[in-house]
Amino acid sequence: MIRVLVVDDEALIRTGFQHILDAADDIEVAAAVPGGQALTAVRETEPDVVLLDIRMPDVDGLTLLADLRRLPRPPVVAMLTTFDMDEYVETALRSGAAGFLLKDTDPEELPFLVRALAEGGTVLSSKVTRTVVDGFLGAGSQEAAARTLDRLTERERHVLLLVAEGLSNGDIATRMHLSTGTVKDHVSAILTKLEVGGRVQAALLAQRAGLLTKGDG
């Protein structure tokens, strides 16, 4: 059972997400709270995934993200927004957000996105992907990104390619005939070598370097 915490200042959004996710057999919404109650709710419910509003009047979503990432056992966090262009995207990704979703995401897609997050996948709404790629990595050249990827071993490059394709750790393990633990170790090494804060950043760097276009391994 995947435990989810929904954090949003709008009661309608919280209720809507809760109804959609609770309808899935393998997902349980542990709590749906406004931002001011988020840290307490995380400590009490220990969710696997947190869907966190990036803009709230009572507390800053990015500050909450940083606080959650510092917990001994941090949950996977995906940021929620009503905007397809948000100046906070870069900060959220650098702070370790595992995804960036619009609040008007198709209800039928939401459980699949939560499952992907819980399994270690990366999730970006199609409406914000171009904004993220252009804005987050637009200042760097493809050549510079490619040089950064040169820090990786061939196996790590193969793992990174699969991460960039959106595969979870379990899917990567199956594809490469490795244990999930070994994949997690590779991903950790990749993030360290690339000096990025999360899988989304690593995936975007791979895309910028052209890894997805030419393939690898």
Side-chain angles (χ1 to χ4, degrees):
M1 185 67 70
I2 301 169
R3 293 173 58 79
V4 179
L5 176 69
V6 179
V7 182
D8 197 285
D9 62 308
E10 298 182 41
L12 184 61
I13 296 295
R14 296 197 302 268
T15 302
F17 271 58
Q18 184 165 10
H19 284 327
I20 293 169
L21 294 174
D22 275 341
D25 293 337
D26 59 339
I27 299 174
E28 173 191 9
V29 176
V33 299
Q37 300 175 25
L39 278 176
T40 298
V42 167
R43 293 190 177 102
E44 290 179 349
T45 64
E46 298 185 346
D48 303 298
V49 176
V50 175
L51 302 181
L52 174 62
D53 189 4
I54 201 168
R55 291 181 175 180
M56 293 177 286
D58 57 341
V59 65
D60 177 43
L62 295 176
T63 299
L64 263 179
L65 170 63
D67 291 340
L68 293 176
R69 295 294 298 168
R70 285 194 291 267
L71 292 174
R73 295 178 57 189
V76 175
V77 182
M79 309 305 293
L80 300 173
T81 183
T82 55
F83 305 96
D84 59 356
M85 293 183 67
D86 197 306
E87 62 268 31
Y88 298 136
V89 172
E90 179 175 348
T91 303
L93 294 177
R94 292 192 185 281
S95 298
F100 196 85
L101 305 177
L102 297 182
K103 294 183 183 180
D104 63 356
T105 296
D106 187 333
E108 294 185 358
E109 292 183 6
L110 189 58
F112 294 98
L113 299 177
V114 166
R115 292 183 189 111
L117 289 165
E119 293 172 1
T122 59
V123 173
L124 284 175
S125 166
S126 59
K127 293 183 180 180
V128 300
T129 299
R130 180 173 297 278
T131 300
V132 172
V133 173
D134 291 346
F136 181 60
L137 292 173
S141 68
Q142 179 175 344
E143 291 76 15
R147 286 196 297 272
T148 301
L149 262 59
D150 286 341
R151 303 170 185 172
L152 305 180
T153 66
E154 285 303 311
R155 172 159 285 190
E156 288 168 347
R157 287 172 67 89
H158 191 183
V159 171
L160 176 59
L161 173 62
L162 298 180
V163 167
E165 290 178 351
L167 273 65
S168 68
N169 288 339
D171 291 335
I172 295 173
T174 299
R175 182 81 64 88
M176 296 185 65
H177 306 291
L178 300 171
S179 70
T180 302
T182 298
V183 172
K184 288 181 179 179
D185 289 341
H186 283 314
V187 171
S188 178
I190 289 168
L191 300 184
T192 299
K193 289 183 178 182
L194 299 184
E195 299 179 1
V196 295
R199 296 169 71 101
V200 176
Q201 281 183 261
L204 292 173
L205 187 61
Q207 182 168 343
R208 185 66 175 176
L211 188 63
L212 275 70
T213 300
K214 59 191 176 185
D216 201 278

